[in-house]
Amino acid sequence: MAARPLIIDCDPGVDDAIALLLALASPQEFDLLGITTVAGNVPLALTQANARRICHLAQRTDVPVYAGCPRPLLRPLTTAEDIHGSTGLQGAVLPSPTLPLQAQPAVPWLIERLTTAAAPITLATLGPLTNLAVALIQCPDIAQGIEQVVMMGGSLGSGNVTPAAEFNIYVDPHAAKVVVEAGLPLTMIGLDVTHQVVTTAARLAALEKLGTPVGQAAAGMLRYYGQLDCDRHGLEAPPLHDPCVIAYLLRPDLFTGRPMGLAIETEGTLCLGRTVANAFPTALAPANALVMETVNAEGIYALLTERLGKL
Ligand code: BDR
Ligand code: CA
């Protein structure tokens, strides 16, 4: 089967970095056209440099990296150094990237790429949705070049930044609203799924056992990452969010979900950034997203360990 044309939009971030490694380790399945970065877990200057560090680590300097929006559409930027550390990739010692940043900013590149695509492109979004929202506003025609959007974001249950909201949606709820209302084929992988994918000691040990620079970097980051998340949410071990998007594209059989009507709260104070999902869509209130609900966590870690072992 031909490799799937893919663009990853992200804010690395430890779990973004692990997701990038999983994609970079899967050249037979993905034709990774580019990585676009956005302000989120840490400011843009760090997310774009971190994406280039990860490409260097994976020896995939053939993948171009673009810097996108430095702040959300309307709100001030909220970052998450408490989870990812001040560098965004706490726990790994990675040299300055040799891969240069592309001169063209991410949004015009997305528009150019999506409007000239020979075959529709899959978008994996792992951070706040600012880049895609701006591209959709500037050029709604990009929708024709999009095969599907698979996003890490949202929650049917509790949030992780506020009781109501998940980080990626909370940081830029207005952008999320633009994307969710664009009528694109959309799959949501939210906290309901990613909180099932936790980095137990045995899973961490399997990555460590790879004994490679990639295995060491991944294990180092994961040892540090998410402990706060774990404590806050009473989980058995820290959750791994963004790699679920890439794993879904590789192995959709590891997930189950159903169509729902998805909307984003942008007005409220208590519920700002809430993903409001109607699990019982009707002809009058139709579904606009496939929302994942369950995941085979053991399968995800087996896939991750097997693929990272190839780098
Ligand atoms: C999301 O927020 C970020 O901190 C992670 O990278 C992930 O994309 C989880 O809520
Ligand atoms: Ca992220």
Side-chain angles (χ1 to χ4, degrees):
M1 223 169 63
R4 178 202 297 266
L6 176 69
I7 295 172
I8 301 179
D9 187 57
C10 58
D11 60 336
V14 168
D15 59 327
D16 302 76
I18 306 289
L20 289 175
L21 289 172
L22 180 56
L24 292 164
S26 306
Q28 286 188 346
E29 289 89 348
F30 298 130
D31 176 12
L32 187 50
L33 303 173
I35 297 170
T36 55
T37 57
V38 68
N41 286 320
V42 284
L44 182 68
L46 286 172
T47 60
Q48 56 87 353
N50 287 344
R52 292 184 289 130
R53 282 190 175 92
I54 294 300
C55 290
H56 178 82
L57 174 68
Q59 299 187 343
R60 288 292 312 273
T61 49
D62 56 303
V63 179
V65 174
Y66 300 83
C69 297
R71 47 154 288 193
L73 293 185
L74 298 179
R75 287 173 47 74
L77 176 64
T78 303
T79 52
E81 285 87 354
D82 54 344
I83 306 281
H84 301 264
S86 58
T87 64
L89 299 181
Q90 192 85 21
V93 184
L94 299 174
S96 291
T98 49
L99 174 65
L101 180 66
Q102 294 294 311
Q104 190 179 22
V107 171
W109 179 73
L110 278 171
I111 292 173
E112 190 182 299
R113 206 67 186 74
L114 291 167
T115 51
T116 57
I121 296 170
T122 294
L123 299 184
T125 68
L126 313 180
L129 289 155
T130 323
N131 288 340
L132 181 52
V134 174
L136 281 164
I137 291 165
Q138 279 188 14
C139 182
D141 283 352
I142 64 169
Q144 281 144 37
I146 298 176
E147 172 82 26
Q148 61 171 325
V149 177
V150 183
M151 76 163 180
M152 192 284 131
S155 178
L156 301 177
S158 295
N160 60 356
V161 193
T162 71
E166 179 279 329
F167 180 82
N168 288 340
I169 308 295
Y170 178 81
V171 171
D172 199 342
H174 304 94
K177 184 174 165 70
V178 170
V179 171
V180 165
E181 293 180 358
L184 302 166
L186 174 67
T187 298
M188 166 176 144
I189 297 183
L191 298 180
D192 320 283
V193 168
T194 64
H195 278 185
Q196 298 172 45
V197 184
V198 298
T199 309
T200 60
R203 291 166 179 168
L204 191 61
L207 282 170
E208 219 150 30
K209 214 173 139 202
L210 292 174
T212 59
V214 167
Q216 268 163 14
M221 287 188 282
L222 289 175
R223 201 174 304 110
Y224 170 87
Y225 165 78
Q227 194 55 51
L228 189 68
D229 240 7
C230 171
D231 298 343
R232 269 187 201 151
H233 300 283
L235 301 169
E236 174 201 356
L240 193 58
H241 308 285
D242 295 339
C244 289
V245 168
I246 307 301
Y248 173 78
L249 292 168
L250 291 167
R251 292 280 311 274
D253 58 299
L254 295 176
F255 297 78
T256 68
R258 55 195 163 132
M260 296 190 194
L262 196 61
I264 307 293
E265 176 60 77
T266 55
E267 301 294 331
T269 46
L270 289 177
C271 293
L272 182 70
R274 176 87 185 149
T275 41
V276 181
N278 176 12
F280 302 98
T282 62
L284 284 179
N288 59 353
L290 186 57
V291 178
M292 290 301 132
E293 294 179 289
T294 73
V295 59
N296 173 345
E298 207 52 53
I300 299 280
Y301 278 89
L303 175 68
L304 186 63
T305 308
E306 180 252 320
R307 290 300 161 103
L308 264 51
K310 293 187 171 170
L311 286 174

